[in-house]
Amino acid sequence: APKRRRCFVAAEDTEEEPATLEAGEAPEEPEACEPVAEAPDWADAGCVPYAAIAAVFEKIEATTKRLEIQGHVRDLLGQVMRHAPGDLTACVFLLCNKVAPAFENLEMGIGDSLLMKAVAHAFGKNAKHVKGEYEKQGDLGIVAEDARKKQKTLSFGAKPKPLLAAKVLAAYREICAISGSKSQDAKVGKMSRLMVAATAPEAKYVTRGLQGKLRIGLAETTVLIALAHALAERAPPEVA
């Protein structure tokens, strides 16, 4: 089937007489239309990898233009609606840096000391080294990213399974729900396992998400506006 294409036609203030062609004159070629974006590489899997979220975070972090940021979020959510609608809720929560609706009174905001322990445990680093790097960098996400880059892993030729967006959100919620006398150790263990499963860019944003601050300038209002645009432009009937 031919690819669908979107055309954007500017409205004219006045009507013009249709153009006529002289004998032997060829008609003008129409302006090219904007092609609909190709399906992402995760489309066939039917679930959104956290790498797709991290990639959008990286694009947003590289710009300060509000409409450009909104466009990145809209494009991702449009892809999610087309290829993995079941992950839409998880993606919106992750983009808003939230783990649950406000009425559930569930927030992340893990303390720096616990996060540093988790980073050290996940990547085989000394706790003092992680603390020193954090003081130097001022961003625990970057510390985790650098540590993940330097970590050597044995894969035996097997490609690691991608970290899924829905599983990241589920892990966040599980960590928030941990309580009791040994809750700190349990939280460190779960956070470490989540970081180990991440690539370097993913580790950066997973760590920031656990900390409760993405540091990329993405407002919740921007996400909601982008969601509305994506729904209007691309939503299949079952989502709308």
Side-chain angles (χ1 to χ4, degrees):
K3 292 183 178 178
R4 295 184 296 112
R5 303 171 74 85
R6 297 200 306 271
C7 297
F8 298 93
V9 182
E12 297 292 336
D13 293 332
T14 58
E15 294 184 359
E16 294 182 1
E17 292 295 326
T20 57
L21 297 177
E22 299 293 339
E25 183 182 359
E28 293 184 2
E29 290 292 329
E31 292 186 7
C33 300
E34 180 188 346
V36 172
E38 297 293 334
D41 54 8
W42 48 264
D44 291 340
C47 49
V48 182
Y50 186 72
I53 303 286
V56 169
F57 285 161
E58 285 188 318
K59 291 177 181 177
I60 292 171
E61 194 168 6
T63 184
T64 57
K65 298 177 180 178
R66 182 178 58 84
L67 292 180
E68 186 176 341
I69 291 172
Q70 185 176 299
H72 291 317
V73 177
R74 180 204 62 216
D75 291 345
L76 173 65
L77 293 178
Q79 290 177 338
V80 174
M81 290 175 191
R82 286 195 299 273
H83 305 292
D87 284 350
L88 181 59
T89 300
C91 290
V92 171
F93 274 121
L94 291 172
L95 289 166
C96 291
N97 199 29
K98 293 184 179 297
V99 294
F103 65 81
E104 291 188 17
N105 197 28
L106 196 64
E107 295 182 356
M108 189 62 71
I110 302 295
D112 289 349
S113 59
L114 276 186
L115 272 172
M116 285 189 283
K117 286 182 181 179
V119 172
H121 187 266
F123 305 121
K125 300 293 183 181
N126 182 279
K128 289 184 178 180
H129 172 79
V130 173
K131 183 178 180 181
E133 287 297 306
Y134 183 27
E135 290 174 352
K136 182 170 67 176
Q137 298 279 4
D139 185 342
L140 199 51
I142 292 177
V143 175
E145 181 182 32
D146 290 344
R148 184 67 179 87
K149 286 178 180 177
K150 296 173 183 176
Q151 186 183 43
K152 295 181 180 179
T153 57
L154 299 176
S155 61
F156 301 102
K159 188 176 180 180
K161 292 182 179 180
L163 183 61
L164 301 179
K167 289 190 175 182
V168 171
L169 181 63
Y172 283 175
R173 289 176 173 173
E174 289 173 5
I175 292 166
C176 286
I178 294 174
S179 61
S181 58
K182 296 183 178 180
S183 61
Q184 290 193 352
D185 291 340
K187 286 183 178 182
V188 168
K190 279 192 174 292
M191 289 189 293
S192 298
R193 287 191 290 274
L194 187 57
M195 293 175 187
V196 168
T199 62
E202 292 170 346
K204 175 182 179 179
Y205 295 108
V206 161
T207 303
R208 287 180 177 178
L210 290 165
Q211 203 172 21
K213 42 190 176 184
L214 289 175
R215 304 166 65 105
I216 60 175
L218 178 59
E220 181 178 341
T221 304
T222 301
V223 176
L224 297 180
I225 292 172
L227 175 62
H229 287 183
L231 281 166
E233 293 178 7
R234 300 185 173 100
E238 61 268 22
V239 174

